[in-house]
Amino acid sequence: MHIDFFNLSEKYRLDVFEPASNEADIKAMQKYFKGTEIPDDYILFLSQMSEAEILVMNESYIRIWGASGCLEMNSSHKIQYYIPKSLAIGDDEGGKVIFYAEGKNGFGLYKVGFGDLDINDAEFISPSLSALLIDGVGAEVFL
């Protein structure tokens, strides 16, 4: 599978990003989340860039963390304690975390407030990171 995350849907503008996560950081993240599904498209994203700040439909931003940021944020906010088998990969820069989990709409990306880490309160975004960023599915959830 090859997805070019630099070629985003017209609904987005990539404003800031850091270089790709290094292999050691990706391996550390995979080890930390052993037993939790880490979707291939997120790993592919990490191999292209990290800490991306993306403008959504000229109105709001989302940030997709790199491997070390993912590990740090999941650990410090105890996200798996509150939402087991989830994987937080970013935030909306407005107090809500973006994460992969099995929720009311099946497996996919959801968002919920950092202060309300409950899968039952989470809002479905998109079935995957590639569907969100490449196909534009779920962009309106951030408006």
Side-chain angles (χ1 to χ4, degrees):
M1 160 176 38
H2 181 72
I3 301 165
D4 180 2
F5 282 102
F6 288 99
N7 187 22
L8 301 176
S9 162
E10 62 192 25
K11 295 179 180 182
Y12 304 104
R13 185 180 75 212
L14 179 62
D15 281 356
V16 177
F17 66 93
E18 296 292 325
S21 294
N22 64 49
E23 191 173 329
D25 286 344
I26 292 172
K27 295 267 187 226
M29 181 190 72
Q30 290 170 320
K31 182 178 179 183
Y32 181 85
F33 291 106
K34 190 172 184 169
T36 298
E37 181 177 351
I38 301 176
D40 292 340
D41 62 349
Y42 182 54
I43 298 293
L44 187 57
F45 179 90
L46 296 174
S47 73
Q48 295 176 31
M49 70 182 89
S50 64
E51 305 306 323
E53 293 185 21
I54 301 165
L55 180 63
V56 182
M57 299 172 77
N58 294 316
E59 289 192 33
S60 64
Y61 278 91
I62 58 175
R63 178 178 34 227
I64 307 299
W65 306 322
S68 61
C70 173
L71 189 59
E72 176 186 335
M73 293 298 283
N74 278 274
S75 176
S76 65
H77 289 280
K78 299 181 174 124
I79 292 174
Q80 289 69 45
Y81 174 80
Y82 295 105
I83 307 173
K85 298 190 178 191
S86 66
L87 174 70
I89 64 166
D91 64 83
D92 70 353
E93 296 191 347
K96 294 194 176 180
V97 62
I98 300 166
F99 62 97
Y100 274 103
E102 184 71 39
K104 56 190 164 211
N105 290 77
F107 186 78
L109 286 173
Y110 291 81
K111 74 174 185 163
V112 74
F114 278 104
D116 180 27
L117 294 173
D118 185 339
I119 190 64
N120 296 313
D121 294 333
E123 181 179 10
F124 181 74
I125 301 169
S126 180
S128 67
L129 185 60
S130 57
L132 175 66
L133 297 179
I134 304 301
D135 303 329
V137 175
E140 62 284 344
V141 172
F142 295 100
L143 303 182

